Amino acid sequence: MNYIGLGSKHKSRGVAANFIVKIVINNQELSVEAGSTVLEAARAHGIDIPHLCYHPALTPYGACRVCLVEVEKNGRKQITTSCTYPVGEGLVVRTNTEEVRAARKFTIGLLLSRAPEAETIKKLADEYGVEPGLERGEDADGCIRCGLCIRVCRELMGHEAIGFINRGAERIPETPFLEDNPDCVACGACAYLCPTGYIKVIDDTTRKISSWHKEEGLAECRECGRRFAPARLLHKVKENLRDLEISDILDLCPECRREKEIKTLNVVEDR
Amino acid sequence: MRGKSTTVQTISVAGGTCGMAAGAGEVWNKFARVLGENSPGIRLELTGCKGFCAMEPVVTIGDIFYCRVRPSDVEEILEKTVHNGELLERLLFQDDGKTCETRREIPFYQYQDRRVLSLTGEVDPVNLQDYLTRKGFESLKKALKMKGEDIIQEVKDSGLRGRGGGGFPTGRKWESCRNSQADSVRYIICNGDEGDPGCFQDRSLMEGNPYLVLEGLIIGGYAIGAEQGYIYVRSEYPLAVKNLEIALARIRAEGFLGRNILDSGFDFDIEIVRGAGAFVCGESSALMASIEGKIGEPRVKHIHATNRGLWDKPTVLNNVKTLASIPLIIGKGAAWFSSIGTENSKGTMIFSLTGNIKNTGLVEVPMGITLRDLIYKIGGGIPGGKKFKAIQTGGPSGGCLPESSLDLPVDYEALLEAGSMMGSGGMVVMDEDTCMVRVAQYFLNFTREESCGKCPPCSEGSLLMLKILDKFIAGNADEDDLDQLGAIGRMVAKTSLCGLGKSAPNPVLTTLRYFKDEYQSHIKGICPAGACPGLNQ
Amino acid sequence: MINLVGKLQDIQEEFGYLKRDKLDEISRELKIPLARIYSLATFYSSFSLTPPAKHSITVCTGTACYIKGAGEIVERIIEKLGITPGETTDDNKFKLETVNCLGACALAPLVTIDGNYYGNMTPEKIIEALETYL
C-alpha cells in the first residue's frame, strides 16, 4: 500500500478522507481509518495497549518501547511499536501474546530503573511482574526520556525552550546551558504531560519549575487578587487573542472567570 | 638486474592517511627535493593507498614494490633503481626468506582481484586527466545515453548488493525510489560515514579515487531521477574531504556535474556534508536527520527512505563501495560483474584486514573466498608464533567467529547464519592473547558511548549487559549470569528501535555462542588469555 | 536549506570550540531556538563547548588499536598527565580524548598529538612523544 500514515498529525498527507482498511487485531476483524497507526486504531476500538511516550496531539516518537505489539504482514512477523506502525489492508496485529508481554516486561524493567518512584511505571511494573532491570541508586533521576515535554513545547506551545542534551545514557531533557531560558514562559504543559512526575511545577508567589531552572512571576487576578498564571504567558495569550476582544476575562483567575460566565449566562436566560 | 628503461618512469609514493601517518610525506618531499624541477624521464606521483598498510611507506617504480621506505633511502633508490635498474634488496617484500622482486609475486596481492580498487593507489587521486585517460567518466557518458530504467535493470542483473551493511539489492532500491511519488524531488546520498572501528576501505576509496565514487553517484542520480546528491563523510577523514572537494570542483568545471551534464539535458549537483562525530549517523535515518541539521536520532522506519527519506522525499542511500562499483557495472556490463562471487553475493568485496595479522591492509577479493584464505594466504597469518583465536567481522554490529568457522565462504548469508554479518567489510583478527569476554565488553562500551539514547533497550540494555560482563572480568560471575547475559542480549535485539540497537548485542551473543568455555573459565576464576588482572591464566 | 550542523562546524573550526555568543548569534539571526542548537552541540562528539587546550591528544581506541593495547596507552597518559579522556589539564596545556577509529589500523596502536600521527605506540614511546610537547 502506498498511503502514508504517521499518526493523527499527518493524516491529511496523501490519504483520501474516510478511506477505510480492514485489519485484524487479536483475531478480531476491524475497519479502521487509513493513515492511522496501529495504536490509534486499537484505541478507537477500545483495545488497550499500554503506552508512555504517545500522546494523540503529538507526533509519534516510538521511544518508550512499551506499546510493543506483534505485527504480521505478508507472512512476516515482527515485534514493533504500535504508536508508529501504520495500518494497512490485511495487517494482522497481536497485542497480548506471551512474546509481546515478555518484550514489554523487559522495557518496563529498564524504565523502572530510571524512575523507580513513578506511580505510572510502578503500576505497569506490578502488572507485568517486573523488578528494576538496573539498580541505578542515585542516578535514577525519575526521567524516562520519553520526550513528551520537548514535543509538547515545540509542537503545541510553539516554543522549543527545551531539548534533549548529550547522548546515550547521559541524554536528558534540559534548557540550553542548563540555565533559565527566556524562551520558556512557564506554561507548565510539559509537567502536565510528564508521565513520571520528573517535571514539577510549584506555584507560590512565583511559579517554579526546577527542571528548567525557572522562576516566573505570577499575575494577579483582577477581581480577587489571587496569583494564578505566569505573567509572561498571560501577556502572550492576550497578544494572540487580541482580535477576539476577550482580554478582560483573561485577567481573571479560573474561579472568577467561571463566576463571571455564570452571571453572563443568567443575563441571557433572563431575557 | 634489469635493463635501463628508456621510457618515462613513474615513481609512485602511496599517500593515503595511513601512508602519511607512517611518514610517506617526508619520503615524497625528499624525492621532490632531490629530483628538483626538471627531471626528464621521471614522473613523481603521490597516489592514494596501495592497500598494503603494514609495509607503509610504500614506493613503487613500475612493478617494483619497495616497503617501509625512509627518506634516507631516497637517493639510493634514484641512483640504483631508477637510473641503473638495480633492485635494492633490503626494501623488497620478504616472506619466509623469499624475496619478492615484483608486486605480482607478493602473496598479499597474488590472491586479490582488485576491480573497484584497480586505480586506488595507482593514480594521483585528484588528477582528473589521469582518471580520464584510464577510461574515467566513460561509464557516465554511456549511462547518459541510456534510459534510467535500463541502468537500473543493468544494476539489478549484476546482482550488486549494498556494501555497507545489510546487503540489500542496489537495483531494487533504486527502482523503488524511482517509482515512488511521481513528480517528487528525489535525493541520492553516498554514505561515507565509515564508523565501524577497524574499517578504512571507504576512506581509502574517497581519498584514493574520488572520481570513481562521484561518477557512481552521478550515474545513480541520473538513474533514479534525482537532481541533488550528497556525500556524507566522517569528520575524522580530513584527507577524504579535501580530495573530494578538489575532485568536485574539477568535474564541475569540466561539465561532468552541474547543469546539462555533457549536453544530455540532465542537471545534477553534489554537496559534501561532513559528519560531526556520531557512529549512529551511519544508520540511514540518523544520517538523514543529521543532513537536515538535527541530532542524529534514528526514526522508526516503517516507511522506507526510498519512499520518504531526506526532507520526506524519496531518497536512495548507498555505501561508498556500492557506488564505486556502478561505473564498472555500466562500463563492463552486468555479466562481467556477476561472473565472480557466489550465488547470492556477486562481484568482489573490499575488506580491511587488521588486528593480530601479519599483512594488515586493504584487500579486494571475490565474494565466496574463505575466511581461512583471507587470513592465511593474503593476510600471512598470525604474527609472533601465536595461535589464531577469532575473527571479528561486521564491526560493532557483527560478531566474533572461531577457528571452526574459517572455512566459511565470505558471503552475506553465510556470515549472517554464523551470527555475524558482512557489514562494511571490517575484519579484525584476534590471537590467543585476546580475552573474548573483554572483547564483548569493548564492543558494548562502544555501543554505550555511541547510542543516541532515544530508546532504553539500547542505551540501558547495554549498561545492563556491561554490569554482568564486569562480574565475569572480576571473576564474580556464576552460571545464572551466563543465562541472564544471553537473555538480555536477545531482548535488546528484539525491542530496540534502530539497527544499531538491534545489532548491538551481536558481539555478546556470538562470543557466548562460540566462546562459552571462556566465559565458564572466568566463572572459575580463570582468564585463558591472561588478560584479566586478578584472575589466573 | 540551512545546514545547521555545518554552521556549527565552521564555528568549531574557527574558534576551536563553540563560543556561546556565536551560538546566541546564530539563534537570533536564523531564528532557530537556542535549545535546538545546544542539543546539537552536545550530541555530536566533534563539538566542544569549552576552549581548546594548547595541545590535543587523541588516542585511537578502534578495534585494531584496542587489540594491540590502546587501553594501556590511555592508562599511561592518565598516569602522566592526571587527566582522563575528555578532560583538560589545569594549566590548559593538554586535552586528552579518545576516538573510535582513525582508519589507520596498520599503525595500531595509534595516537595523534595536534594532528601529528604517532603509530605503533607503546607505553614507553607515548611518554617520549609527550615529553616533546611539555
Side-chain angles (χ1 to χ4, degrees), chain B residues 491-503:
Chain B
M491 271 300 174
V492 170
K494 188 183 286 181
T495 59
S496 288
L497 187 155
C498 79
L500 173 64
K502 283 185 191 301
S503 60

Side-chain angles (χ1 to χ4, degrees), chain B residues 465-480:
Chain B
M465 286 189 279
L466 275 171
K467 284 226 158 170
I468 299 178
L469 286 177
D470 284 346
K471 286 169 78 177
F472 279 94
I473 288 162
N476 299 328
D478 55 30
E479 283 289 331
D480 191 41

Side-chain angles (χ1 to χ4, degrees), chain B residues 223-272:
Chain B
I224 65 162
E227 290 190 358
Q228 179 68 49
Y230 293 91
I231 180 159
Y232 190 94
V233 191
R234 212 173 156 230
S235 57
E236 288 83 352
Y237 290 171
L239 185 57
V241 172
K242 185 180 146 210
N243 285 0
L244 283 166
E245 274 171 356
I246 297 170
L248 272 183
R250 295 195 175 160
I251 59 172
R252 205 175 276 128
E254 295 297 321
F256 295 110
L257 197 66
R259 299 205 74 80
N260 190 19
I261 295 174
L262 301 174
D263 275 333
S264 63
F266 170 54
D267 301 337
F268 187 74
D269 216 321
I270 296 173
E271 187 183 320
I272 299 172

Side-chain angles (χ1 to χ4, degrees), chain A residues 48 50 101 104 108 121-130:
Chain A
D48 181 49
R101 290 185 65 87
R104 282 185 201 149
I108 292 166
I121 317 278
K122 278 191 339 203
K123 200 167 149 251
L124 274 172
D126 276 349
E127 200 185 322
Y128 282 80
V130 186

Side-chain angles (χ1 to χ4, degrees), chain C residues 82-133:
Chain C
I83 45 169
T84 56
E87 289 180 351
T88 306
T89 51
D90 288 339
D91 57 4
N92 203 36
K93 205 156 179 196
F94 292 100
K95 180 169 189 188
L96 174 61
E97 280 169 304
T98 57
V99 60
N100 283 329
C101 186
L102 290 164
C105 309
L107 298 168
L110 180 66
V111 177
T112 69
I113 305 177
D114 297 343
N116 300 316
Y117 288 79
Y118 294 86
N120 302 311
M121 276 294 112
T122 61
E124 293 73 43
K125 275 160 75 183
I126 186 61
I127 296 306
E128 277 172 38
L130 278 179
E131 300 282 353
T132 61
Y133 293 86

Side-chain angles (χ1 to χ4, degrees), chain B residues 79-112:
Chain B
E79 192 189 317
K80 298 207 165 138
T81 309
V82 177
H83 295 302
N84 290 327
E86 284 172 43
L87 291 177
L88 295 175
E89 189 142 345
R90 66 166 197 279
L91 296 175
L92 289 170
F93 181 74
Q94 295 181 358
D95 188 42
D96 289 337
K98 183 180 167 276
T99 304
C100 302
E101 292 199 357
T102 64
R103 172 172 150 155
R104 274 191 299 273
E105 292 167 45
I106 301 174
F108 178 79
Y109 287 107
Q110 227 169 38
Y111 299 95
Q112 291 193 49

Side-chain angles (χ1 to χ4, degrees), chain B residues 12-76:
Chain B
S12 155
V13 182
T17 296
C18 41
M20 288 308 221
E26 287 87 342
V27 172
W28 191 85
N29 283 337
K30 183 77 183 281
F31 269 116
R33 214 168 44 240
V34 176
L35 285 171
E37 289 286 300
N38 190 20
S39 49
I42 298 172
R43 180 177 174 193
L44 178 64
E45 207 172 57
L46 190 68
T47 68
C49 175
K50 295 179 193 290
F52 204 173
C53 310
M55 295 298 134
E56 301 281 11
V58 167
V59 172
T60 60
I61 300 137
D63 271 350
I64 303 164
F65 192 94
Y66 283 152
C67 307
R68 294 188 177 139
V69 177
R70 300 281 144 215
S72 54
D73 297 320
V74 164
E75 274 153 333
E76 204 181 346

Side-chain angles (χ1 to χ4, degrees), chain A residues 2 4 6 13 61-63 65 68 80 84-86 99 102-103 106 110-111 113-114 133-134 136 167-168 171, chain B residues 277-278 297 300 302-303 307-308 312 449-457 460 464 467 491-492 494-497:
Chain A
N2 209 15
I4 309 270
L6 256 195
R13 286 194 203 166
Y61 195 50
R65 319 304 289 171
L68 294 167
T80 189
T84 53
Y85 202 89
E99 195 190 2
F106 175 67
L110 297 176
L111 297 172
S113 60
R114 283 209 143 143
L134 194 66
R136 296 193 84 102
R167 71 177 184 219
R171 177 180 163 106
Chain B
E297 202 181 270
V300 192
H302 303 310
I303 296 157
N307 200 343
R308 271 205 2 224
D312 280 347
E449 277 173 27
E450 292 298 333
S451 164
C452 76
K454 178 171 177 175
C455 82
E460 300 285 288
L464 210 53
K467 284 226 158 170
M491 271 300 174
V492 170
K494 188 183 286 181
T495 59
S496 288
L497 187 155

